[in-house]
Amino acid sequence: MAEGQAPAPYSNENLLFLTDEQLRQGIEAMFFAYRGFTADPDRILADLAYGRAHHRAVHFINRAPGTTVNNLLNLLGVTKQSLNRVLRTLIEDGLVESRVGRNDKRERHLFLTGQGKALEQKLSDAQRARMRAAFRDAGPEAVAGFRRVLEAMMDREMRFAYARLKDNAP
Amino acid sequence: MAEGQAPAPYSNENLLFLTDEQLRQGIEAMFFAYRGFTADPDRILADLAYGRAHHRAVHFINRAPGTTVNNLLNLLGVTKQSLNRVLRTLIEDGLVESRVGRNDKRERHLFLTGQGKALEQKLSDAQRARMRAAFRDAGPEAVAGFRRVLEAMMDREMRFAYARLKDNAP
DNA sequence: AGCATATGTCAGTGTTGTTGACATTCCAAG
DNA sequence: CTTGGAATGTCAACAACACTGACATATGCT
């Protein structure tokens, strides 16, 4: 493997030298951490009749109230048919409200109802608690590094979407 | 919300103060980054008749050759029925070999065949390439922070499993 | 001998994703 | 004002991957 070769000593590249082993550890860290990341909301959702897809939809509708279906589609990276199934149950159950667009009446703008906000709170409280504990354990500089690496790992369009959400923050 | 309150000025807590907004950004970063993290192997797997579950199995068998089914079960966090379906196809297709244990004949020890190693290489090359690019962009200190936060986010048992894999590294 | 462990298997179910096809509504350009 | 395309919704079929529950087999340990 090309990446298995050691760099010349004293080269600047040494600072950036990444062995396959280091990269593998990064990969495994992502895998195990993501399991932890989703574990708490998953436990809550198991009791209700909802799954992870509902959680994601509710999260982003809360984050960007009034978002269109198409926008949500891009954020979530699924097909409209897949999202529609989830949205339909959320609307039927009174967690999400879908309002026809004023300017463009083809578009539907999505909002959480009181009930929807309550579920979002419950789920994100659990997820934030773990994130807070991890951030606290690791310290502020580690958190900054964590964010830098994750941003660099995203696809281009998702990096933009992520930045846009940050700016639109309430 | 309790966590929405600002800490007293000049308190040590300031260094660790984490707003809901910061935590939400961390959550979204995890979500978008994980999408990127799995995107490249997923594209490769789509052409073959395999899925993400096969990738995970092949990864850990490569990582810990001779591992037992039970050990793999714990690493992956799935039921034996679910893992068995994946392992069966991998064994039938000649990517994985299952050897009866010498000491304990109830156990099966799992190994990648040449073919299995080839697939593992192909998949992990793609995944490592992205990880390498992200690590390079973010820099060494960021990588250290990234790892610290992810470790802190794992469940206890997974943190141990992760450490054990690091130590057993070839 | 009897219980526990490790594994494999069968059957049924649920969530989430996919494709493909088709209808509706509406904006905008010619 | 007609037509083309965009945004959305819906139906049907299907696949991957997870789950539970039940049962079988072989083995190890006491």
Side-chain angles (χ1 to χ4, degrees):
Chain A
M1 280 168 299
E3 61 260 69
Q5 296 172 359
Y10 308 115
S11 112
N12 262 346
E13 283 294 311
N14 259 331
L15 290 173
L16 305 175
F17 180 57
L18 297 164
T19 64
D20 274 15
E21 176 53 28
Q22 286 173 298
L23 296 169
R24 265 181 215 284
Q25 284 175 25
I27 288 169
E28 282 160 9
M30 272 300 275
F31 173 68
F32 289 127
Y34 199 79
R35 283 252 298 280
F37 172 69
T38 56
D40 303 322
D42 280 358
R43 262 188 290 274
I44 295 171
L45 290 159
D47 294 338
L48 316 172
Y50 298 125
R52 219 177 269 182
H54 299 83
H55 179 194
R56 291 195 284 255
V58 162
H59 173 96
F60 284 111
I61 295 173
N62 176 68
R63 179 66 153 181
T67 186
T68 64
V69 172
N70 231 358
N71 185 30
L72 201 50
L73 235 43
N74 291 328
L75 285 178
L76 297 176
V78 297
T79 59
K80 63 174 177 172
Q81 293 91 331
S82 198
L83 175 58
N84 197 257
R85 191 177 341 128
V86 168
L87 278 182
R88 197 171 15 179
T89 70
L90 290 173
I91 291 170
E92 280 170 6
D93 296 354
L95 302 184
V96 167
E97 194 191 343
S98 164
R99 297 186 205 150
V100 173
R102 266 191 302 241
N103 295 344
D104 186 337
K105 290 177 189 165
R106 291 168 301 181
E107 294 181 340
R108 306 298 144 95
H109 298 277
L110 303 168
F111 300 87
L112 292 186
T113 64
Q115 249 191 95
K117 281 178 190 160
L119 177 62
E120 200 282 332
Q121 266 295 319
K122 196 172 169 185
L123 292 172
S124 71
D125 275 355
Q127 202 160 36
R128 279 198 311 262
R130 185 184 289 252
M131 189 68 70
R132 190 181 303 110
F135 278 12
R136 198 152 29 79
D137 285 4
E141 312 85 15
V143 169
F146 164 76
R147 288 240 284 245
R148 254 200 299 282
V149 172
L150 289 191
E151 255 185 90
M153 209 179 313
M154 296 175 195
D155 278 342
R156 229 181 100 81
E157 309 82 34
M158 289 305 106
R159 195 151 46 237
F160 292 153
Y162 173 69
R164 230 173 295 127
L165 282 173
K166 280 204 295 194
D167 298 341
N168 289 356
Chain B
M1 283 170 296
E3 60 258 296
Q5 296 175 359
Y10 308 118
S11 113
N12 261 346
E13 282 294 310
N14 259 332
L15 290 174
L16 305 175
F17 179 57
L18 297 164
T19 63
D20 275 14
E21 177 51 29
Q22 286 173 297
L23 296 169
R24 264 181 216 283
Q25 283 176 23
I27 287 169
E28 283 161 8
M30 272 299 275
F31 173 67
F32 289 127
Y34 199 78
R35 282 251 299 279
F37 172 68
T38 56
D40 303 322
D42 280 358
R43 264 188 290 273
I44 295 172
L45 290 160
D47 295 337
L48 315 172
Y50 298 124
R52 217 178 272 182
H54 299 85
H55 180 194
R56 291 195 284 255
V58 162
H59 172 97
F60 283 111
I61 295 174
N62 175 68
R63 179 64 154 181
T67 186
T68 64
V69 173
N70 235 351
N71 185 30
L72 199 51
L73 235 43
N74 291 328
L75 285 177
L76 297 176
V78 297
T79 60
K80 64 173 178 173
Q81 293 92 329
S82 199
L83 175 58
N84 197 256
R85 188 178 350 120
V86 168
L87 277 183
R88 197 170 21 188
T89 69
L90 289 174
I91 291 169
E92 280 170 6
D93 296 353
L95 302 184
V96 167
E97 194 191 343
S98 164
R99 297 185 204 150
V100 173
R102 266 192 302 239
N103 294 343
D104 187 335
K105 290 178 190 163
R106 290 170 303 179
E107 294 180 338
R108 305 298 145 93
H109 298 279
L110 303 169
F111 300 87
L112 292 186
T113 64
Q115 249 191 92
K117 281 176 191 160
L119 177 62
E120 199 282 332
Q121 266 294 321
K122 196 172 167 185
L123 292 172
S124 72
D125 274 356
Q127 201 160 37
R128 279 198 311 261
R130 186 184 288 253
M131 190 67 69
R132 189 180 305 110
F135 278 12
R136 200 153 27 80
D137 285 3
E141 312 85 13
V143 170
F146 165 76
R147 288 240 285 248
R148 253 200 298 285
V149 172
L150 289 191
E151 257 187 86
M153 209 180 314
M154 295 176 196
D155 278 343
R156 231 180 98 81
E157 310 81 35
M158 290 305 106
R159 195 150 47 236
F160 292 153
Y162 173 69
R164 231 173 295 127
L165 283 173
K166 281 203 294 192
D167 297 341
N168 288 356

